[in-house]
Amino acid sequence: TSGYFSDSLDVGTKVAHQQALVADLDNQIASILDDNEYAEFELFKDSGFEQYQVKQIARVLGPDSALTDDQQRQFLLAKLHQKQSFNSWLEKHNGPELTSTALTEALDTYKNGYLQEIRGAINDKQYRLIQDYEKVQFDQMGRSLRISTGLDP
């Protein structure tokens, strides 16, 4: 563990070592799982924030419009698939050619894609509440991305 007086070189060495251990574990997991299972593992691996978002949406819906466990899983999978597509788009387009308009359109594709993906699994009331909630969330994400990419001061 890092102590109070750890220098940055020591911390950097420890972080690099931990990252190598995690990569080794990922390789071991990949050798155990088949391709589809590993793809799902990769999708869920860093999904803590999205899992939190699904729980928040369940809270927003309240008990009278609660999502079943199966609906929550479908919701999470849809969100993660669309996020994966968005992240691929962002990696490809992040640079001097990135515009605020293109970023907004990509975020809309992300949001609308996953809402469309879950539409058949939820009722109209749930859909409207989720749509309203996600509009606010995606607007905030857009502002944050525009600032972090230098598109907005």
Side-chain angles (χ1 to χ4, degrees), residues 17-111:
H17 177 70
Q18 288 176 342
Q19 288 172 335
L21 291 173
V22 168
D24 186 48
L25 287 172
D26 281 350
N27 289 334
Q28 290 177 36
I29 291 169
S31 71
I32 294 169
L33 301 176
D34 68 35
D35 290 344
N36 290 335
E37 291 170 328
Y38 187 71
E40 190 167 287
F41 165 77
E42 280 291 309
L43 198 60
F44 280 105
K45 185 168 71 172
D46 294 319
S47 68
F49 182 68
E50 288 75 21
Q51 291 179 40
Y52 167 78
Q53 288 177 317
V54 170
K55 296 294 182 194
Q56 285 298 103
I57 287 172
R59 186 188 62 74
V60 166
L61 292 176
D64 57 325
S65 294
L67 295 172
T68 65
D69 289 343
D70 188 51
Q71 286 173 315
Q72 287 185 40
R73 181 172 170 74
Q74 287 178 315
F75 196 95
L76 180 61
L77 279 170
K79 195 165 190 82
L80 291 172
H81 284 131
Q82 294 299 322
K83 176 186 175 187
Q84 191 174 52
S85 295
F86 173 75
N87 284 342
S88 294
W89 179 91
L90 191 58
E91 284 178 22
K92 187 176 175 182
H93 295 92
N94 193 11
E97 73 279 357
L98 181 64
T99 65
S100 184
T101 302
L103 182 61
T104 298
E105 289 172 1
L107 280 168
D108 284 344
T109 299
Y110 173 6
K111 177 184 69 180

Side-chain angles (χ1 to χ4, degrees), residues 90 94-95 98 103 142-152:
L90 191 58
N94 193 11
L98 181 64
L103 182 61
R143 278 192 300 278
S144 176
L145 284 170
R146 281 189 287 282
I147 290 168
S148 68
T149 57
L151 295 173
D152 281 355

Side-chain angles (χ1 to χ4, degrees), residues 106-122:
L107 280 168
D108 284 344
T109 299
Y110 173 6
K111 177 184 69 180
N112 294 332
Y114 105 83
L115 287 173
Q116 188 61 38
E117 218 174 304
I118 64 162
R119 181 64 184 108
I122 57 178

Side-chain angles (χ1 to χ4, degrees), residues 133-147:
Y133 176 83
E134 288 295 13
K135 180 183 181 339
V136 172
Q137 299 304 309
F138 274 82
D139 286 349
Q140 289 175 350
M141 187 186 332
R143 278 192 300 278
S144 176
L145 284 170
R146 281 189 287 282
I147 290 168

